[in-house]
Amino acid sequence: MFRLITKMGFAWVLALASFLALAQDAALRGPVRIAFIGPLEGVPQAPIAQDALVGARIYASRTNSSGGIAGRKLEIVPFDDKFDPAQTVKKVQESTLVSPSAILTIGTAPALAVLEAKLPESLNLPLIPMRTGAGSVREPLNPFVFHVRAGYRQELQNIVSQLLAVGVERIALLYQDDAFGQYGRGVVRAIMSKNGKSLVAEAAYDRTTADLAPATRKLAASGSDALIMVAGGAQSMQFVAHARDLGYKGQIVGLSDVDPNQLISKVGAQRARNVAISQVFPNLNNAIAHPLVREFKKSIEQSEIPNARPNNATFEGWLSVKFLVEGLRRAAAQKKSLKDALESFRDLDLGSYRLSFSPAQHEGSTLVNLLIIGAEGRIIY
């Protein structure tokens, strides 16, 4: 009887081991998932997040049509955080239920909340914070956070330096009253001070209400020759329209969060005229000079995903997933973690856009340019 029980017990152990092996194999052959966490409806930032999600899904579809990740399908799983940092943290935690390989977030404050909660390192999940170049999410270096665009410090240094170089010294500042805006304000004030200058006026607005009326009235009457916006894309467009309606004639300069085509569409070519915008990605209107832009636009043309627009937000979502796919494929081929695979890219040429990382360097790009909107909505680089 004892031998029979022992044999039955041994057989049960073998059966259990076989079942677990099959379950593990099924899990390995299941889809690779990337969690997309952003404001998808009900807030001013939603259209930008929606475009970034479309871009992410377009590249995922392109990946799947070419064999996926070592034969596994790639899925983008969206979570709506309403642009509330507390909700961002909650949604990152919820995303673990789908076992993502990486996380994408939208905006400075949401990304900063995730970092302060130490989620990337505790969950062992690489994070790409999109639509932000703030130093608060870059400094100090977090080994699980990767940046595929230049930072706001580089953008603002370029903006202020170019204004001062052409003799524009009476500069005012609009900034969002959160981590993103406060960081940008600090950078602008430091650069001005270094050059022996100070701002002629500054005004903040609450990102949760997006009530720009008091700030617009103050800055439009400031007598400044140029006005720098450290503001989100939707709020920047609102500010440009109101400032022009109040008669402000000076140069208005925005960060890369402002999409020039959307600005022209939203406020009209006349009000957008003479607005300059910092750029951290290749010129999306010049596919001839930029192979990456050609690939991006071809992806959109071939995609069956609705509401795809070739703008900067769509491009950033597309680019972020493209970079992750490169890392996922290298990780699978070389039997290493995704984090280690992403860090191993040195001078990765994606087609006129290069990314370079190392364990000590997680800011992959230094590309910064300025464009200006001319007469009749013409965009000049």
Side-chain angles (χ1 to χ4, degrees):
M1 178 64 71
F2 177 75
R3 289 182 180 178
L4 177 60
I5 294 174
T6 301
K7 288 180 179 179
M8 290 177 63
F10 184 64
W12 182 85
V13 171
L14 286 177
L16 178 60
S18 177
F19 172 78
L20 292 175
L22 289 171
Q24 183 181 37
D25 185 63
L28 290 174
R29 292 182 181 277
V32 176
R33 296 187 175 100
I34 296 172
F36 182 105
I37 298 163
L40 298 176
E41 58 182 27
V43 292
Q45 297 83 1
I48 291 171
Q50 291 164 1
D51 283 344
L53 176 59
V54 167
R57 283 177 161 163
I58 287 174
Y59 199 83
S61 176
R62 184 179 181 86
T63 300
N64 292 331
S65 66
S66 61
I69 308 296
R72 299 169 64 190
K73 182 180 179 181
L74 178 63
E75 293 181 355
I76 309 298
V77 185
F79 296 83
D80 189 355
D81 67 1
K82 307 296 184 185
F83 210 60
D84 178 347
Q87 282 296 309
T88 309
V89 170
K90 182 179 178 180
K91 295 302 179 181
V92 169
Q93 293 168 333
E94 289 180 7
S95 75
T96 60
L97 296 174
V98 301
S99 301
S101 295
I103 304 168
L104 302 174
T105 58
I106 297 284
T108 299
L112 185 58
V114 172
L115 295 182
E116 289 176 342
K118 300 186 183 302
L119 293 180
E121 52 266 51
S122 65
L123 298 174
N124 198 32
L125 284 174
L127 164 68
I128 295 182
M130 299 186 296
R131 307 299 294 177
T132 179
S136 54
V137 299
R138 295 170 180 246
E139 305 160 5
L141 183 148
N142 184 307
F144 284 88
V145 183
F146 295 82
H147 307 280
V148 298
R149 57 186 281 168
Y152 291 144
R153 180 180 296 277
Q154 292 162 304
E155 291 188 56
L156 290 168
Q157 286 175 337
N158 185 53
I159 289 170
V160 176
S161 296
Q162 290 208 33
L163 288 173
L164 295 178
V166 296
V168 177
E169 298 180 352
R170 292 184 56 78
I171 301 172
L173 175 70
L174 171 74
Y175 66 96
Q176 188 163 287
D177 194 11
D178 64 1
F180 157 54
Q182 292 289 354
Y183 174 79
R185 175 176 180 258
V187 172
V188 171
R189 288 165 62 97
I191 299 170
M192 294 287 289
S193 177
K194 185 178 179 179
N195 286 275
K197 310 295 180 185
S198 59
L199 293 167
V200 298
E202 58 181 81
Y205 69 91
D206 184 344
R207 68 176 176 82
T208 61
T209 63
D211 180 10
L212 274 71
T216 307
R217 288 193 294 268
K218 176 181 178 180
L219 296 176
S222 67
S224 64
D225 296 318
L227 198 154
I228 298 171
M229 303 181 295
V230 182
Q235 292 88 350
S236 293
M237 289 186 277
Q238 182 182 342
F239 176 82
V240 169
H242 291 173
R244 293 304 194 210
D245 288 346
L246 289 173
Y248 185 75
K249 304 296 185 183
Q251 174 92 65
I252 300 177
V253 190
L255 291 172
S256 55
D257 291 340
V258 185
D259 186 283
N261 292 303
Q262 288 187 1
L263 175 65
I264 295 166
S265 175
K266 183 78 172 179
V267 310
Q270 185 58 38
R271 287 192 291 191
R273 185 174 182 177
N274 203 34
V275 172
I277 302 173
S278 179
Q279 295 293 286
V280 294
F281 296 128
N283 178 2
L284 298 185
N285 295 319
N286 191 353
I288 296 176
H290 302 289
L292 186 65
V293 174
R294 288 201 299 273
E295 181 187 352
F296 168 62
K297 292 197 169 181
K298 186 177 180 180
S299 295
I300 290 180
E301 292 168 2
Q302 296 177 340
S303 172
E304 297 180 356
I305 297 173
N307 303 318
R309 298 181 292 178
N311 58 37
N312 285 339
T314 306
F315 180 80
E316 186 165 4
W318 182 90
L319 174 68
S320 297
V321 174
K322 180 179 176 66
F323 174 56
L324 286 174
V325 167
E326 294 285 342
L328 287 163
R329 286 176 168 165
R330 177 171 287 193
Q334 299 182 1
K335 308 296 183 185
K336 59 173 61 175
S337 71
L338 176 57
K339 170 189 167 295
D340 290 344
L342 296 175
E343 282 185 338
S344 70
F345 286 115
R346 307 287 191 273
D347 198 28
L348 174 65
D349 187 0
L350 297 176
S352 74
Y353 191 80
R354 295 178 180 274
L355 295 173
S356 188
F357 296 89
S358 74
Q361 169 61 35
H362 278 214
E363 294 190 68
S365 173
T366 58
L367 176 67
V368 178
N369 290 311
L370 270 180
L371 65 78
I372 189 165
I373 300 173
E376 300 179 352
R378 182 184 176 193
I379 296 175
I380 306 166
Y381 277 79

